[in-house]
């Protein structure tokens, strides 16, 4: 039955990833892929939070949220392609900035989310 919770969470995460990406994509400059960055930052925080309070979550809820939802919502595979496109277009400065802010900020907010989740216990 775990597969069903993962699939349901994945469907919701994929839908929200598309919706957020489309909404932000229409409102921000594409010099740096901000929609993907925003999704990765929020998804990293959420996954950190879920893992931080995993000991109090039923297994189905963890599967739904952490594996399904966050797995489909976060987009580091897209991040890699977008970073590569910046490099291939010889936009080296934005390539470097995008990689640095993505890795540093998502790692930091994952740590904050983890601490916030543990603080609930």
């Amino acid at each position: 039955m775990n597969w069903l919770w993962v699939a349901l969470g994945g469907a919701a995460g994929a839908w929200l990833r598309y919706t957020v990406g489309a909404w932000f994509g229409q409102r921000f400059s594409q010099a740096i892929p901000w929609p993907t960055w925003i999704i990765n930052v929020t998804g990293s925080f959420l996954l950190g939070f879920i893992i931080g309070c995993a000991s109090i979550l039923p297994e189905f809820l963890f599967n739904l949220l952490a594996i399904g939802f966050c797995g489909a919502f976060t987009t580091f595979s897209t991040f890699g392609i977008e970073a590569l496109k910046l490099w291939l277009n010889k936009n080296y400065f934005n390539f470097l900035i995008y990689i640095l802010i993505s890795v540093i900020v998502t790692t930091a907010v994952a740590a904050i989310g983890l601490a916030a989740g543990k603080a609930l216990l």
Side-chain angles (χ1 to χ4, degrees):
M1 193 64 157
N2 285 335
W3 65 268
L4 179 60
W5 296 115
V6 171
L8 291 173
W15 173 82
L16 189 59
R17 189 264 178 272
Y18 171 79
T19 302
V20 170
W23 189 85
F24 279 103
Q26 295 172 0
R27 288 160 178 76
F28 289 96
S29 163
Q30 292 300 304
I32 291 180
W34 290 114
T36 301
W37 186 80
I38 291 165
I39 290 164
N40 283 337
V41 169
T42 57
S44 293
F45 172 81
L46 182 60
L47 185 57
F49 181 82
I50 293 165
I51 291 171
C53 60
S55 64
I56 62 170
L57 294 177
E59 184 180 11
F60 85 91
L61 193 54
F62 181 84
N63 289 331
L64 178 84
L65 297 175
I67 299 170
F69 183 83
C70 288
F73 180 65
T74 58
T75 56
F76 259 73
S77 58
T78 304
F79 159 78
I81 292 297
E82 290 174 340
L84 180 60
K85 285 180 183 177
L86 290 170
W87 179 266
L88 293 174
N89 288 329
K90 299 182 182 348
N91 196 341
Y92 303 121
F93 179 75
N94 283 344
F95 167 81
L96 182 62
I97 294 298
Y98 184 54
I99 287 177
L100 289 174
I101 63 174
S102 293
V103 173
I104 292 168
V105 174
T106 58
T107 302
V109 297
I112 294 166
L114 180 66
K118 286 185 175 187
L120 288 177
L121 301 179

